Amino acid sequence: MSPRDLAFVGCRLLALFFLVEVIASLPYSLGSLASVFASEAPQDTASFYYASRWLMLASPIVSLAMVLVLWFGAGWLAGEVADGTPAGTPDWSPRILLSVGVALLGLTIAAFALPTLALYLVYLADGAAEARGFDTFNVVPLAVRCIVGVGLILGARRVAETIARLRAL
């Protein structure tokens, strides 16, 4: 199995994991949506409250989009991770393995942070910053996680080379 094949299988497995997570979160999201429709909004948060009814489904929708990207973009992601490696190498160097591992780590970090970040950004765009009890400080760590995850995906080879150089010291 080549590094490209390993990365391809990893993307598909991560897509299946997130599909299971989407399916598992649907009852909670739909239940939350039903409870929001069944109750009246507090007076000071009415505009945010009514607009957020459909936003309860934002996280599962973003997760489903990630499933589609991971499933159908597995070939491209595998090509990015294993770029420059021969198609069928039986011998893997430690740097190639480290590069694949770093890219999968970045994919996992970004995939876990992206749905929640998208939900918070939609809430903020809808006026949640003015609502009582909404913590806007959660957005910054999630954005940093997404940036780090994407950086690890796109710079996996460079990170792996840096780690290998530091280990040689």
Side-chain angles (χ1 to χ4, degrees):
M1 183 180 272
S2 70
R4 186 178 302 243
D5 295 337
L6 180 66
F8 184 84
V9 169
C11 287
R12 289 282 171 97
L13 287 174
L14 194 59
L16 290 175
F17 170 76
F18 278 108
L19 182 62
V20 169
E21 290 294 316
V22 167
I23 292 169
S25 71
L26 277 179
Y28 172 75
S29 297
L30 293 176
S32 298
L33 188 64
S35 69
V36 167
F37 273 113
S39 62
E40 283 297 316
Q43 200 67 318
D44 59 344
T45 61
S47 64
F48 170 70
Y49 188 82
Y50 290 124
S52 69
R53 288 179 173 175
W54 293 106
L55 295 179
M56 297 287 182
L57 296 174
S59 184
I61 289 171
V62 171
S63 294
L64 187 60
M66 286 177 18
V67 167
L68 295 174
V69 167
L70 285 171
W71 188 266
F72 294 111
W76 177 81
L77 285 169
E80 286 294 314
V81 170
D83 190 30
T85 60
T89 54
D91 298 327
W92 290 5
S93 72
R95 284 192 182 176
I96 291 174
L97 287 173
L98 188 58
S99 175
V100 170
V102 166
L104 289 176
L105 175 67
L107 194 59
T108 304
I109 290 171
F112 277 110
L114 190 61
T116 309
L117 177 65
L119 182 65
Y120 278 148
L121 291 178
V122 170
Y123 279 163
L124 285 174
D126 207 32
E130 292 85 28
R132 253 187 327 173
F134 186 79
D135 188 12
T136 56
F137 293 111
N138 289 332
V139 175
V140 174
L142 288 170
V144 169
R145 283 186 202 155
C146 283
I147 291 169
V148 167
V150 169
L152 287 175
I153 293 168
L154 298 178
R157 189 174 36 233
R158 183 174 293 157
V159 171
E161 289 172 1
T162 304
I163 291 171
R165 258 188 268 122
L166 290 174
R167 289 184 82 194
L169 292 178

